[in-house]
Amino acid sequence: MYRIYDCLTTQHDIVLVLVAVLLGLGGIHTAFNLYARACIGRLRQRIAWLFLTGVVTGSAIWATHFIAMLAYDPIVPVGYDPVLTAVSLVIAIAATSVGFAIASFRGPHPVLSRVVGGLVVGLGISAMHFTGMSAMSVPGMISWHMDIVIAAILLGAVFGMISLWLAGSARTAREMLWGKTNLTIAVATMHFSAMGALIITPDPTMRVPAQLISSEYLSVGVAVIVTILIAIGFITAMVDRQLRAHVSNRMRILGDSAIEALVLTQDGRVIETNESFLRLVNAKQDEVNDSEFLSHWLTEVPQDFRSGSISYVETSLRTRDQVDVPVEVIRREIPADDFSDNTVIFGLRDLRERHAAEKHIRFLAEHDSLTQLLNRTTFNDRIAEAIIEADETGVPMTVMCLDLDHFKELNDSFGHIAGDHALRELGERLSKLNSDNITIARVGGDEFVILLHHQNRPDVALASANARAVAQDILDCIAIPIFINNNHRAKLSGSIGIAHYPSDGEDAESILFHADLAMYRVKQSGGNDTVFYSSEMDEEYRFKRQLSSNLRQAMENDTLEVHYQPQCHADSHEIMAFEALLRWNDPQMGNIPPSRFIPVAEETGLINQVGEWVLRKACQEAASWRKPLGIGVNLSAVQLQDLELPNIVRRIVEQSGLDPKRLELEVTETALIHNPARSMKILSEIKKLGVRIAMDDFGTGYSSLATLQNFPVDRIKIDQSFIAKLIGNDQAVAIVRAVINLSHDLNLSVIAEGVETDDQARFLTDNDCNEVQGYKYGYPRPINEYWHVVHPNSNDQDIAADLAKRANRVSGSEAR
């Protein structure tokens, strides 16, 4: 080691040594730029680039050697054999060409190829060196320290292998820097170590041949050759790099103009990307280049996509921040050309927006848009799954039907916007009750269904207890007041019907139906409660359904009857009007009282048709009377909510020819306050027709004095429940007397209904109640039994003619 150091410091011109090293480094720098180009492209172009790489590299190494030789002072004259000098140049070019060619070989073991290629280059350096040394001629004997020679050869070989191993395919500046540095070290360490092994023993008797190349000529020749070769290589590499940069820039512009992210790879490693990809992975270009694209950036890729068997896949892209981004990836291969190697382009599209949109669409398909609860379709799927689970486990399953009480009044009073707001808030509250065992869905306007799983509760009694507890939680949730505006808060309640599977039904449809029946039972009882399904509800439902069907047929067949009960002056008992009362004697079910079939008609929606039928019959009948008595017709609460009612009344009055002043429509207090604003509007329009309005059953409803003040009422009817208690009940006496006095004070007529005894009649007369109605004055009967009243002074012939005319009118109506 000391000998090498002494040789370098005492026998070499340090300036020329530095020139040699710099010249070699410059040549090697150019050579690696050429080598990077030789690793890509088609075979013919690669061979050309590899040859040029070998020429530039070999020439640079050869020049470094001989300039370093010029820096060496052997103390004796030196000459160089031109043949061997030329041979050493050929050896340098050939060895480096072969070595770089092996290193660029695309085999299954690229690292081995690079190591072997580096070994060839390193040994070629040694071969060139000792061939060049043998070209040196001096007046003396040349000998070697063989241990140093062997070490020098090993150093050249080792650093040669390291240089091409670290350089790889020389695609990045880092790889080329490692390759350039280590190959320069290989040349320098091998040369100066070998020079330290050189021993020259002067011999004055020996002469240097005259035909040898002198040091001066050699220096000029080396400088000229090396400068030309390095310049050629540098210019060639620069032009090629500009061409490739131009193509790459065009591709980058094209990629950046597209929405998709683009990645170019060669041998699986990233060589170029566009800005979209860099933004997607939140990385810089140098952090992406030369990374293994499929294994580093894509987390899960099928083997068929890796091999190119398929060209499309949806997977996740792992960003630099370790965040997985859903992407779709398209693979396209571009064959090698004169400028590039086989290139695989991957086009990527960010799927986050699409996935979010698909998720939103699925949510909308499965959920109610207003309350965000599940919708009917999704609930049906859930209940089908729950039935299968119940069959497998033997644990019962429960379904609840929930309907909000008086929700229509909230809509009518504050508008549908307030109703939607209430439903939205209830949805938020109910959604908090959702769990693995509780599923709540909205299936209609104010209708909800609840699916309840009973884990480890195989007994129906335990399941019922659990269901009741959940139902109470729901009712408590509904009972919390809802803020409508600064002045109003709505307080709602709910009716819940409960049915168990399999005890209350064998399939989803029957379970839901039975829970719905139980819910309607709660509604009929006033709401705000919970009822379990029982079998008698089915019997009642079947009865109501049969009743509804028969009622519809009775209207179509005109088999309903209208009976008339007289309304009289209390003093003279003279009949001044009749009240039309509907009667139905069904062939199958017998005589059915109105109290039984009217509620069914209201539930089934038939009441509007029935009410219109009764009104038309009564008006037609009254219009045919010779004596213009009044006619009273009852209106259902459902009818009073129909905005078409004024038009219906007007049309019937006009078609029947009845004087509207003779018609009196009777409404109950409950019907009036059901929807005060709508009721007021409808009754006001009816009053404009000249029709009178009577408040029926006064005293049994809300009995609000504001009702009498606000609504266009002409007469008050005292309910028969108070008349029945007049004798012997001081409270009833006080109430009836107060109602009579109130009517007089408000300039309203008053009539007492349900009068049956002389004592009742006497009390009413004594207290100035001038109009009465009841069994004492006449039962509800067909109008024929009151013929003498409505057709006074008619003989038998007049009666027969009138009956024939009536029959013809009925048959004509049926024909129409």
Side-chain angles (χ1 to χ4, degrees):
M1 184 61 122
Y2 176 76
R3 182 175 179 80
I4 296 173
Y5 174 77
D6 182 66
C7 176
L8 180 62
T9 56
T10 61
Q11 293 183 274
H12 284 79
D13 184 344
I14 298 301
V15 175
L16 287 177
V17 169
L18 292 176
V19 170
V21 172
L22 292 176
L23 182 62
L25 185 60
I28 290 171
H29 169 76
T30 303
F32 268 92
N33 290 337
L34 297 172
Y35 172 64
R37 182 61 184 84
C39 290
I40 58 176
R42 296 174 181 173
L43 180 60
R44 186 174 60 185
Q45 283 74 30
R46 291 177 61 201
I47 292 174
W49 284 105
L50 285 170
F51 174 73
L52 186 58
T53 302
V55 170
V56 172
T57 309
S59 299
I61 294 172
W62 180 79
T64 300
H65 166 75
F66 277 100
I67 291 177
M69 287 295 299
L70 294 175
Y72 177 68
D73 183 11
I75 306 177
V76 294
V78 178
Y80 296 92
D81 182 86
V83 175
L84 290 177
T85 300
V87 169
S88 66
L89 175 61
V90 172
I91 290 174
I93 293 173
T96 52
S97 296
V98 172
F100 278 109
I102 295 173
S104 67
F105 178 70
R106 302 172 183 175
H109 306 290
V111 174
L112 180 61
S113 299
R114 292 162 188 165
V115 171
V116 173
L119 177 62
V120 172
V121 171
L123 293 177
I125 294 171
S126 299
M128 181 277 303
H129 175 85
F130 287 108
T131 301
M133 290 298 295
S134 65
M136 185 176 66
S137 178
V138 297
M141 297 292 297
I142 296 177
S143 60
W144 305 86
H145 287 281
M146 292 308 298
D147 54 343
I148 299 178
V149 170
I150 294 172
I153 294 173
L154 291 176
L155 284 173
V158 169
F159 280 106
M161 289 188 292
I162 293 175
S163 66
L164 290 189
W165 171 52
L166 293 177
S169 56
R171 289 179 180 169
T172 65
R174 188 184 186 88
E175 288 180 341
M176 286 195 287
L177 178 61
W178 280 112
K180 297 169 188 176
T181 303
N182 281 276
L183 188 56
T184 303
I185 293 174
V187 174
T189 55
M190 190 276 145
H191 176 85
F192 292 110
S193 297
M195 292 303 295
L198 177 65
I199 303 174
I200 298 178
T201 304
D203 185 355
T205 62
M206 298 182 63
R207 291 187 177 275
V208 178
Q211 69 274 22
L212 296 182
I213 302 174
S214 67
S215 298
E216 289 78 8
Y217 287 116
L218 179 64
S219 62
V220 173
V222 168
V224 171
I225 292 173
V226 170
T227 300
I228 292 173
L229 291 176
I230 291 179
I232 292 172
F234 180 79
I235 292 171
T236 303
M238 183 178 66
V239 171
D240 178 72
R241 177 174 295 180
Q242 289 178 344
L243 287 174
R244 284 191 293 152
H246 177 69
V247 173
S248 177
N249 187 53
R250 286 171 61 102
M251 188 167 292
R252 184 183 294 108
I253 293 173
L254 178 62
D256 288 338
S257 66
I259 298 175
E260 296 84 354
L262 293 180
V263 177
L264 279 66
T265 65
Q266 290 179 354
D267 297 329
R269 305 185 74 80
V270 178
I271 61 170
E272 190 68 71
T273 69
N274 65 353
E275 290 296 328
S276 297
F277 179 78
L278 296 178
R279 287 194 299 269
L280 194 59
V281 298
N282 191 27
K284 297 179 180 179
Q285 189 69 55
D286 57 356
E287 296 172 331
V288 173
N289 285 348
D290 204 45
S291 59
E292 188 71 30
F293 177 67
L294 293 179
S295 60
H296 185 273
W297 298 103
L298 301 182
T299 55
E300 296 180 2
V301 179
Q303 185 58 38
D304 289 345
F305 186 79
R306 292 179 179 274
S307 64
S309 300
I310 59 175
S311 59
Y312 176 85
V313 71
E314 289 190 12
T315 182
S316 294
L317 177 71
R318 180 67 55 83
T319 69
R320 191 188 64 171
D321 304 325
Q322 302 301 305
V323 176
D324 288 339
V325 177
V327 293
E328 62 177 2
V329 187
I330 300 175
R331 174 191 178 114
R332 293 289 184 269
E333 295 188 11
I334 300 179
D337 55 19
D338 294 341
F339 294 101
S340 63
D341 200 353
N342 291 328
T343 304
V344 179
I345 297 180
F346 295 95
L348 297 90
R349 177 176 294 165
D350 188 348
L351 297 182
R352 283 177 292 190
E353 289 188 5
R354 194 184 84 180
H355 283 189
E358 291 174 351
K359 183 179 179 181
H360 183 61
I361 291 172
R362 286 195 301 270
F363 182 87
L364 292 179
E366 296 176 354
H367 292 75
D368 170 57
S369 59
L370 181 62
T371 63
Q372 308 301 303
L373 298 171
L374 296 179
N375 58 23
R376 183 189 295 273
T377 301
T378 310
F379 185 83
N380 289 339
D381 295 338
R382 298 287 178 88
I383 196 173
E385 296 171 359
I387 287 177
I388 295 174
E389 180 182 345
D391 290 338
E392 292 175 351
T393 61
V395 178
M397 175 268 296
T398 298
V399 171
M400 304 181 189
C401 286
L402 164 66
D403 191 85
L404 301 179
D405 300 328
H406 311 301
F407 184 75
K408 189 174 184 298
E409 284 86 332
L410 174 64
N411 271 331
D412 293 338
S413 300
F414 300 103
H416 288 284
I417 295 178
D420 289 347
H421 169 70
L423 289 173
R424 192 179 299 110
E425 184 165 333
L426 283 177
E428 293 179 2
R429 296 179 189 175
L430 294 175
S431 64
K432 296 177 181 178
L433 300 178
N434 277 322
S435 66
D436 293 339
N437 298 328
I438 302 174
T439 302
I440 304 177
R442 180 186 179 220
V443 296
D446 61 335
E447 301 173 11
F448 301 82
V449 285
I450 300 94
L451 177 64
L452 187 59
H453 296 268
H454 302 284
Q455 294 183 349
N456 303 322
R457 292 184 177 89
D459 184 70
V460 174
L462 293 176
S464 296
N466 183 46
R468 187 178 294 278
V470 172
Q472 188 58 52
D473 289 341
I474 293 174
L475 292 179
D476 293 342
C477 183
I478 297 172
I480 301 173
I482 296 174
F483 178 83
I484 300 298
N485 52 46
N486 292 333
N487 299 320
H488 296 91
R489 283 174 174 77
K491 187 171 184 180
L492 299 175
S493 61
S495 300
I496 299 179
I498 303 175
H500 298 299
Y501 175 85
S503 59
D504 294 333
E506 58 185 12
D507 53 30
E509 183 178 358
S510 60
I511 290 297
L512 283 168
F513 175 68
H514 290 158
D516 201 49
L517 282 181
M519 183 268 291
Y520 275 108
R521 175 64 62 86
V522 183
K523 283 282 190 184
Q524 293 171 354
S525 302
N528 195 28
D529 201 357
T530 300
V531 168
F532 287 84
Y533 166 78
S534 60
S535 57
E536 62 266 18
M537 295 179 187
D538 256 345
E539 298 174 4
E540 182 180 358
Y541 171 77
R542 283 192 291 271
F543 172 78
K544 288 182 177 180
R545 187 169 58 180
Q546 182 65 43
L547 192 68
S548 175
S549 176
N550 290 4
L551 180 58
R552 192 182 301 274
Q553 292 179 7
M555 279 198 306
E556 294 173 355
N557 299 331
D558 202 23
T559 56
L560 293 174
E561 296 181 2
V562 178
H563 287 191
Y564 299 85
Q565 186 175 28
Q567 296 176 343
C568 306
H569 286 290
D571 293 333
S572 63
H573 295 184
E574 178 186 358
I575 297 176
M576 60 179 191
F578 286 93
E579 179 180 1
L581 299 171
L582 183 62
R583 294 295 183 263
W584 180 24
N585 189 7
D586 186 73
Q588 298 176 358
M589 308 175 72
N591 190 25
I592 305 172
S595 60
R596 192 73 179 95
F597 68 80
I598 291 298
V600 174
E602 290 180 333
E603 289 179 16
T604 58
L606 281 175
I607 190 62
N608 284 331
Q609 300 175 43
V610 172
E612 184 176 347
W613 185 90
V614 173
L615 180 61
R616 188 178 301 278
K617 285 289 185 181
C619 289
Q620 289 175 350
E621 179 62 50
S624 68
W625 299 340
R626 292 186 179 181
K627 188 174 182 179
L629 301 176
I631 182 69
V633 181
N634 289 285
L635 289 181
S636 162
V638 177
Q639 286 180 276
L640 197 55
Q641 299 306 307
D642 184 5
L643 293 175
E644 279 297 309
L645 182 60
N647 291 329
I648 293 173
V649 174
R650 178 187 54 78
R651 188 164 55 248
I652 290 176
V653 169
E654 290 176 353
Q655 291 173 354
S656 65
L658 179 69
D659 183 354
K661 295 179 181 179
R662 295 173 56 193
L663 177 62
E664 182 175 81
L665 298 181
E666 301 181 7
V667 297
T668 63
E669 291 177 277
T670 304
L672 289 175
I673 65 126
H674 186 68
N675 187 333
R678 179 175 293 188
S679 299
M680 171 68 78
K681 182 177 186 301
I682 292 173
L683 291 180
S684 297
E685 292 181 9
I686 292 176
K687 280 281 291 181
K688 291 178 183 178
L689 301 175
V691 177
R692 292 166 53 83
I693 305 297
M695 183 177 292
D696 197 10
D697 301 337
F698 186 80
T700 61
Y702 293 86
S703 301
S704 171
L705 296 180
T707 304
L708 296 176
Q709 180 182 11
N710 296 329
F711 286 90
V713 177
D714 298 295
R715 180 157 66 161
I716 294 176
K717 297 188 73 173
I718 304 174
D719 187 69
Q720 59 186 347
S721 62
F722 298 111
I723 304 302
K725 299 176 183 178
L726 270 179
I727 310 304
N729 189 314
D730 294 338
Q731 289 182 339
V733 169
I735 290 173
V736 171
R737 186 180 289 123
V739 172
I740 295 171
N741 293 332
L742 177 64
S743 300
H744 293 328
D745 291 340
L746 294 176
N747 293 321
L748 300 176
S749 62
V750 60
I751 183 172
E753 58 182 354
V755 180
E756 299 182 0
T757 66
D758 293 336
D759 291 337
Q760 294 171 346
R762 189 179 303 111
F763 174 86
L764 294 170
T765 303
D766 293 343
N767 287 275
D768 296 327
C769 181
N770 300 322
E771 301 173 10
V772 290
Q773 176 183 350
Y775 291 162
K776 175 176 173 56
Y777 307 99
Y779 286 86
R781 298 187 185 281
I783 196 61
N784 292 340
E785 299 189 21
Y786 293 105
W787 192 266
H788 61 285
V789 177
V790 297
H791 294 279
N793 303 321
S794 298
N795 55 35
D796 292 340
Q797 291 180 349
D798 293 334
I799 295 174
D802 191 77
L803 290 175
K805 187 185 298 183
R806 186 190 304 272
N808 291 334
R809 186 165 61 246
V810 171
S811 62
S813 176
E814 290 176 351
R816 286 193 298 272

